[in-house]
Amino acid sequence: MTRIATEQSSTWLDVDPWEAIQKEYQPTALVLDHFEHEINVAQRGIATEGGERKHVRIVLLAGADLIQTMSTPDVWSQDDLDHILGKYGVFIVERAGTDIDDALATLTPWRHNIWVIQQLIQNDVSSTKIRLFLKREMSVRYLVPAPVIKQYIEDHGLYEDDGASSSIHEKGREVPAEAAAGSSTSG
């Protein structure tokens, strides 16, 4: 999905499917190690405009809701926190409903490696909300790039197990939120 979303809207973003194609869950620290190795060792960094290779810094990008779990006891191991936040660092995107100070409460030892990206325009679209909209038979048009809806969600039957298939498959077209809400009420 992310590859489809970025290939038509960005000239500088790229998506690597490595984590998604693994047969088992990959811990975040291992994923970051993978990209560090692939980009800075195997590829010898990135090419500059002058044709030279330059080492790049790998950093985790995460929503404040995920980072808040790092301050929750017994969710993340101390070793993983040291590895992720100490070696790589994190850019945190503010999320509606997450208190950023609370999320950072126990992460002060790595404060030098944590950068908060303030959300100047409220945008709380998330995969969780997309799944919820589809489950409730509401439209995700304008929330998800159109090619993602057609080329991935519909073609792969994504979220059908969640009972969301009718909101994206009705007569081959997307159902607007108003129509979906109206179709579920009794006459």
Side-chain angles (χ1 to χ4, degrees):
M1 273 192 293
T2 53
R3 182 176 301 275
I4 294 167
T6 58
E7 68 188 8
Q8 295 181 13
S9 63
S10 177
T11 58
W12 61 277
L13 285 176
D14 194 13
V15 176
D16 185 301
W18 181 83
E19 182 180 9
I21 63 173
Q22 301 306 303
K23 293 188 187 298
E24 296 178 358
Y25 165 76
Q26 300 298 307
T28 303
L30 183 66
V31 174
L32 292 169
D33 288 345
H34 166 77
F35 286 110
E36 172 70 29
H37 175 79
E38 287 300 313
I39 294 170
N40 289 319
V41 177
Q43 296 179 21
R44 297 177 299 125
I46 60 168
T48 65
E49 288 183 11
E52 298 173 19
R53 304 300 293 181
K54 181 179 179 181
H55 181 275
V56 295
R57 181 171 183 179
I58 306 299
V59 179
L60 176 64
L61 173 64
D65 51 338
L66 175 71
I67 300 306
Q68 190 166 35
T69 68
M70 291 182 170
S71 289
T72 304
D74 302 322
V75 175
W76 296 78
S77 74
Q78 190 67 34
D79 288 343
D80 277 349
L81 290 175
D82 283 335
H83 191 81
I84 296 164
L85 300 175
K87 181 176 181 179
Y88 296 107
V90 64
F91 284 103
I92 304 169
V93 179
E94 286 185 321
R95 286 269 172 96
T98 302
D99 181 341
I100 196 69
D101 293 327
D102 187 42
L104 298 173
T106 63
L107 305 180
T108 54
W110 305 282
R111 190 72 181 161
H112 67 284
N113 250 0
I114 298 173
W115 300 272
V116 176
I117 302 170
Q118 293 183 338
Q119 195 173 39
L120 300 177
I121 297 173
Q122 191 70 24
N123 177 358
D124 65 345
V125 175
S126 67
S127 59
T128 302
K129 289 192 177 176
I130 298 302
R131 285 190 296 273
L132 180 63
F133 272 42
L134 293 173
K135 183 176 183 176
R136 291 181 178 174
E137 299 187 354
M138 297 170 66
S139 174
V140 294
R141 188 175 183 194
Y142 306 118
L143 300 177
V144 177
V148 171
I149 295 170
K150 177 64 183 143
Q151 296 173 25
Y152 199 87
I153 295 175
E154 287 182 5
D155 290 353
H156 290 89
L158 199 61
Y159 308 126
E160 286 183 5
D161 293 338
D162 294 340
S165 59
S166 61
S167 67
I168 55 177
H169 288 287
E170 186 175 299
K171 296 181 183 174
R173 64 178 174 83
E174 187 179 24
V175 178
E178 301 82 16
S183 67
S184 64
T185 60
S186 56

